Amino acid sequence: MDLTTFWFILIAVLWIGYLVLEGFDFGVGMLMALLARDDKERRVLLNTIGPVWDGNEVWLIVAGGATFAAFPEWYATMFSGFYIPLLLILLALIVRIIGIEFRSKRPEPAWKLRCDIAIVFGSVVPALVWGVALANIVRGVPIDADKEYVGGLLGLFNPYGLLGGLVTLTVFLVHGAFFVGLKTTGPIRERAIAMGLRVGVLAAFLTTLFVGWTAMRDDTLQVWVVGAGVLIAFVLGLAAANAGRDGWAFVGTAVAIGLLVVMLFAALFPDVMVSSLDPAWSLTTDNASSTPYTLKIMSWVAVAFTPIVVGYQSWSYWVFRRRIGVQHIPG
Amino acid sequence: MDVLELARWQFGITTVYHFFFVPLTIGLSVLVAAMQTVWWRTGDERWLRMTKFFGKLFLINFAMGIATGIVQEFQFGMNWSDYSRFVGDIFGAPLAIEGLLAFFLESTFLGLWIFGWDRLKPGLHLACIWIAALGTVFSAYFILAANSFMQNPVGYTLNPEKGRAELTDFGAVLTNKVLMVTFPHQIFGCFMVAGAFVAGVALWHMMRRPDRDADAFRPAFRMGAVVLLVAGFGTMISGDFQGKVMTEVQPMKMAAAEGLYEDAKPAPFSILTVGTLDGSKEVYKLEVPKLLSFLGTGSFDGQVRGIDSLQREYEQKYGPGDYSPNIPVTYWTFRLMITTGGLAMLAGTIMLWATRKGRTPTSKWLLRSAIVLPLLPMAANSFGWIFTEMGRQPWVVFGLMPTASGVSPSTSVAEVATSLAMFTVLYGVLAVIEVKLLLRYVKAGLPELEPPSDPDDADAPLAFAY
């Protein structure tokens, strides 16, 4: 396997890490509005992701940095082309970080309400917009001969892109609900599972449409197979939740999200951004990549340090493995 | 305004704003870790209360740092896509490594530290804050490696066919001589900020409630003040080295910093120069003979190049154009950096003297200066960055790529203007929230200690939870 393919896979892995991990904390953020009945329950929800959400977000920063280093042309075209969607995501992530970190810093209900709004807004917007952006990358956007995106903002609002956004939005919500089911005790756990199942039916329907559409567009065996895997994992996750198997339910949604990313990247390969104007203007792993020397150095760094990162992040999940309930909330 | 000007304003605003939080985060992570270490070694509960007090302030500041930091990576691609295409092969690597090596450490171990008070053994818990602190220092190193390439490109070759710079020697990028002098200068600068912050807050409490808090805050004050002074000397010495390297690799920047128009041998150090408004001529000057030669070259008789002769040389080399940065900005930010840093050291010395042998001073002026103290090195850091980045102009990569060619060709004025407006408004609001919150927690003073909960009690409340 050549290094450009290796880096294509590695970037897919970083996106899997990002969307599987931050996917559930976006879901928990949305549930602050939908699930919790009082301040204590909202704090329980927030504390389920408390120790880990920041580390989850770093997967995005590393995915961005790795794209910059390994495929500068991809990074430049994508980030300048998707200007307004990325601006929305940045604004959302900023207010979300502040909402999460500052919520407990003052006791007034008005302050907490404002922080809750920030958290919900900051979770909904990226959950939706990431799906729109990823779907458009696979679908193809107007890219000219100079590798510049010329589609404007409205070019991203097409049925396939919007469906992609709704898929990530609903699937993350279910994923977050099952995470809450896994991490809490008492009534909040039961309500979380029930809500996950209800939204799960809608999410399964949307995902089926999206997977089918993607597979028909691309029509390769591997996309059909991985797409089927997405649906099977998601449905098994719902079944496990229904059977009271919290851990397996979460594994099911996690695997479904991971396979969804695999499916999109498989449909994309060997392109990294498809030009809808002329296939010859598409960015590919070859014409968008860095030099072999840079890729080699980056490979050594990635091979040496990724397992270490995965190791200590796993350890932090282990340290905070206990379920929490309202009785753990001080004051 | 055109896209270039808006994109430059956006870079300036978002970066300087982000940089209000970075030095305090880097320095304070180490100081809080040191406080916890003293508590761990001695069992003295004053240090535990100090750890929790300054730890809370650190976390409020850290949150702002990450919230504003994520913009930095995105805006290279969003506003400076041609720059990203040109240097991605080189510049992307330290950025990606910063994320992989530094940000993961910082975020994960800080999470463990915040939520692990009752879940981890004390030694392990202490290790978590040290590892997070180490992450912040790694982060500084890799981001400065990327920046140093923009100041002094090394380890690359130009590929005319692809129209980009390509990496040939990563070791050279990581040992760039600009990096070797900038990294210590910056780290010392961070410790000046954190030392001044701890000293200022502690002294304010000592003087405000001498009967109750003087005893508890005194050791923290002395720790902060000593860190400020030691780091101050480190900043001066490393800054001197940096000046010599800059004179060698970016002579135009140092000539602009001095407002030196003609070559001089020996060159005087300008204390004050008044120029015409457009910065093209000087009308009055006050100077120390031969000092600039020494600062720039290490010899009192060394030759220092002036703006006009460098301009002539660059025109021959790169073609017609204006190769000098904005001279009033570089001249004044350079002086303000030195002045504010020096004032911080002076204030720290006076405060240490006033608190010698267990005394608690009562002077109103000292109380006021304790409030201003943390702002001085913070300002020095910002002025230093404005100086070094503005002094690099008109280049985005010195000698290789003019700033004007780096901007995204496909982005519209409307897009950049929208994002500039939204970030600026949001940052303004966040600044008010942050300052109010910090003041609130500063005023609240030392926390009372709750009895440690039993690690085996599954239903104990979470100690440091949200």
Side-chain angles (χ1 to χ4, degrees):
Chain A
M1 184 171 47
D2 56 19
L3 282 175
T4 53
T5 311
F6 174 74
W7 272 90
F8 183 82
I9 294 171
L10 202 60
I11 284 169
V13 169
L14 291 169
W15 277 103
I16 292 170
Y18 174 62
L19 294 174
V20 166
L21 294 173
E22 184 117 294
F24 76 72
D25 68 54
F26 284 148
V28 174
M30 294 184 243
L31 288 171
M32 297 276 288
L34 300 173
L35 194 65
R37 291 197 175 147
D38 56 25
D39 181 54
K40 273 208 169 174
E41 289 197 348
R42 276 188 282 277
R43 290 175 73 180
V44 169
L45 287 182
L46 205 51
N47 280 295
T48 62
I49 57 169
V52 294
W53 69 271
D54 188 13
N56 294 348
E57 197 157 289
V58 175
W59 285 84
L60 169 65
I61 298 180
V62 176
T67 312
F68 197 169
F71 300 104
E73 301 280 353
W74 184 11
Y75 171 82
T77 304
M78 178 165 60
F79 278 57
S80 63
F82 291 4
Y83 199 94
I84 297 294
L86 288 176
L87 173 65
L88 274 176
I89 288 176
L90 283 177
L91 293 171
L93 291 179
I94 291 172
V95 298
R96 181 174 190 265
I97 292 166
I98 296 304
I100 294 177
E101 289 283 349
F102 287 1
R103 188 182 189 280
S104 64
K105 299 287 183 282
R106 291 177 64 164
E108 300 89 341
W111 169 268
K112 293 193 168 183
L113 178 66
R114 259 176 252 150
C115 288
D116 290 340
I117 293 170
I119 295 169
V120 173
F121 170 81
S123 303
V124 170
V125 169
L128 181 74
V129 178
W130 279 129
V132 175
L134 285 171
N136 272 293
I137 291 172
V138 175
R139 175 181 178 268
V141 288
I143 293 172
D144 68 11
D146 294 330
K147 298 175 180 166
E148 294 295 339
Y149 173 86
V150 290
L153 175 61
L154 295 176
L156 300 176
F157 290 103
N158 50 73
Y160 180 73
L162 288 174
L163 179 61
L166 289 178
V167 166
T168 46
L169 183 73
T170 51
V171 169
F172 289 169
L173 185 58
V174 179
H175 190 40
F178 290 172
F179 182 74
V180 172
L182 180 63
K183 293 295 294 177
T184 57
T185 59
I188 195 163
R189 170 179 165 267
E190 287 155 29
R191 271 184 277 130
I193 305 261
M195 176 161 292
L197 284 171
R198 250 181 294 144
V199 181
V201 175
L202 173 66
F205 172 70
L206 293 169
T207 310
T208 310
L209 279 184
F210 183 70
V211 165
W213 196 340
T214 310
M216 275 191 288
R217 287 176 53 98
D218 194 70
D219 206 21
T220 55
L221 180 66
Q222 63 267 30
V223 170
W224 279 106
V225 170
V226 179
V230 174
L231 298 174
I232 293 170
F234 194 71
V235 171
L236 285 178
L238 294 181
N242 196 36
R245 304 291 295 269
D246 298 346
W248 286 110
F250 181 70
V251 170
T253 50
V255 171
I257 293 168
L259 287 178
L260 191 68
V261 180
V262 173
M263 180 189 75
L264 290 174
F265 273 74
L268 193 58
F269 188 81
D271 292 327
V272 293
M273 262 190 118
V274 182
S275 170
S276 57
L277 301 177
D278 182 343
W281 296 340
S282 290
L283 277 70
T284 66
T285 51
D286 279 332
N287 73 20
S289 72
S290 288
T291 55
Y293 175 71
T294 297
L295 292 177
K296 205 172 91 187
I297 288 171
M298 293 293 299
S299 301
W300 282 112
V301 175
V303 166
F305 288 98
T306 312
I308 299 176
V309 171
V310 171
Y312 63 65
Q313 284 210 335
S314 310
W315 178 64
S316 107
Y317 280 88
W318 173 251
V319 168
F320 302 110
R321 65 193 176 280
R322 266 186 203 157
R323 287 176 188 264
I324 56 173
V326 285
Q327 74 275 17
H328 296 108
I329 299 304
Chain B
M1 281 205 262
D2 57 5
V3 169
L4 173 66
E5 222 171 314
L6 288 168
R8 285 188 63 189
W9 272 108
Q10 179 159 337
F11 195 88
I13 290 173
T14 53
T15 308
V16 169
Y17 189 72
H18 173 58
F19 209 72
F20 286 144
F21 310 103
V22 172
L24 189 56
T25 296
I26 294 176
L28 206 50
S29 65
V30 175
L31 290 190
V32 170
M35 290 172 186
Q36 192 173 340
T37 307
V38 178
W39 168 63
W40 187 67
R41 298 283 297 185
T42 63
D44 181 347
E45 290 214 325
R46 280 187 306 178
W47 287 101
L48 177 59
R49 294 172 76 197
M50 220 61 85
T51 306
K52 294 203 166 179
F53 174 72
F54 283 106
K56 272 256 164 71
L57 298 176
F58 163 66
L59 291 175
I60 291 170
N61 179 71
F62 181 79
M64 288 292 286
I66 44 170
T68 55
I70 192 163
V71 179
Q72 304 309 322
E73 180 188 281
F74 276 51
Q75 78 173 326
F76 288 118
M78 288 167 75
N79 287 340
W80 303 97
S81 68
D82 272 0
Y83 166 77
S84 301
R85 290 181 210 278
F86 183 71
V87 297
D89 196 57
I90 303 152
F91 189 85
L95 228 57
I97 298 174
E98 183 191 20
L100 190 64
L101 249 74
F103 292 155
F104 271 133
L105 274 187
E106 242 174 274
S107 58
T108 311
F109 283 91
L110 213 53
L112 281 158
W113 185 73
I114 300 169
F115 288 84
W117 281 93
D118 298 324
R119 293 280 181 275
L120 297 169
K121 291 192 177 112
L124 197 56
H125 183 252
L126 174 62
C128 288
I129 182 93
W130 276 112
I131 294 171
L134 191 69
T136 67
V137 176
F138 280 164
S139 168
Y141 176 79
F142 286 107
I143 201 67
L144 288 173
N147 183 270
S148 296
F149 180 83
M150 298 165 79
Q151 313 286 352
N152 178 41
V154 291
Y156 72 97
T157 126
L158 286 177
N159 180 338
E161 194 187 322
K162 289 220 165 194
R164 67 180 185 186
E166 295 181 343
L167 187 61
T168 55
D169 185 353
F170 194 49
V173 172
L174 294 183
T175 54
N176 191 337
K177 59 175 140 186
V178 171
L179 174 62
M180 294 296 109
V181 287
T182 306
F183 178 64
H185 191 60
Q186 180 58 68
I187 293 294
F188 282 128
C190 296
F191 279 105
M192 284 185 77
V193 174
F197 181 79
V198 170
V201 168
L203 185 63
W204 184 76
H205 271 289
M206 285 167 65
M207 293 177 69
R208 202 161 144 265
R209 305 279 295 274
D211 45 325
R212 198 187 75 171
D213 291 334
D215 187 43
F217 272 109
R218 184 177 306 281
F221 164 73
R222 298 195 77 86
M223 179 189 207
V226 169
V227 166
L228 166 65
L229 291 180
V230 172
F233 283 111
T235 314
M236 280 162 62
I237 294 164
S238 58
D240 179 51
F241 281 113
Q242 200 178 15
K244 291 178 176 49
V245 172
M246 286 298 168
T247 307
E248 186 193 331
V249 303
Q250 289 179 310
M252 184 61 103
K253 184 190 279 184
M254 294 315 284
E258 276 308 317
L260 185 72
Y261 285 87
E262 285 305 325
D263 293 356
K265 185 184 172 185
F269 180 85
S270 150
I271 292 172
L272 175 72
T273 299
V274 179
T276 51
L277 273 181
D278 61 357
S280 64
K281 273 201 180 64
E282 63 189 30
V283 291
Y284 170 79
K285 62 186 174 185
L286 176 69
E287 54 192 24
V288 183
K290 293 191 179 189
L291 183 58
L292 182 59
S293 284
F294 179 72
L295 291 176
T297 65
S299 146
F300 282 104
D301 290 316
Q303 188 189 13
V304 179
R305 306 281 312 270
I307 296 164
D308 291 344
S309 85
L310 285 163
Q311 171 69 25
R312 287 191 291 275
E313 184 194 317
Y314 288 165
E315 274 181 36
Q316 278 186 352
K317 207 165 157 188
Y318 304 115
D322 181 3
Y323 294 95
S324 61
N326 182 324
I327 297 186
V329 169
T330 33
Y331 182 88
W332 284 108
T333 48
F334 185 64
R335 265 147 200 78
L336 285 167
M337 167 185 78
I338 295 172
T339 311
T340 45
L343 281 177
M345 290 179 69
L346 183 67
T349 313
I350 294 171
M351 289 172 188
L352 262 182
W353 173 254
T355 54
R356 70 192 185 282
K357 294 178 190 158
R359 288 174 211 208
T360 303
T362 50
S363 147
K364 262 209 177 109
W365 280 102
L366 212 57
L367 186 64
R368 281 177 198 146
S369 67
I371 297 167
V372 179
L373 183 66
L375 300 177
L376 290 171
M378 212 175 257
N381 270 274
S382 294
F383 287 131
W385 271 108
I386 295 170
F387 163 66
T388 202
E389 294 293 276
M390 290 289 285
R392 193 188 61 229
Q393 303 302 331
W395 301 104
V396 62
V397 184
F398 188 79
L400 286 186
M401 184 184 221
T403 307
S405 339
V407 76
S408 300
S410 64
T411 341
S412 66
V413 169
E415 285 173 324
V416 191
T418 309
S419 69
L420 176 60
M422 294 183 92
F423 281 129
T424 309
V425 169
L426 180 62
Y427 282 3
V429 173
L430 292 184
V432 175
I433 295 175
E434 150 97 4
V435 170
K436 275 187 163 174
L437 210 53
L438 272 180
L439 291 180
R440 184 190 179 99
Y441 275 84
V442 166
K443 274 189 197 144
L446 289 177
E448 293 306 320
L449 289 178
E450 294 142 24
S453 71
D454 177 1
D456 292 328
D457 176 6
D459 276 346
L462 295 155
F464 234 55
Y466 287 137

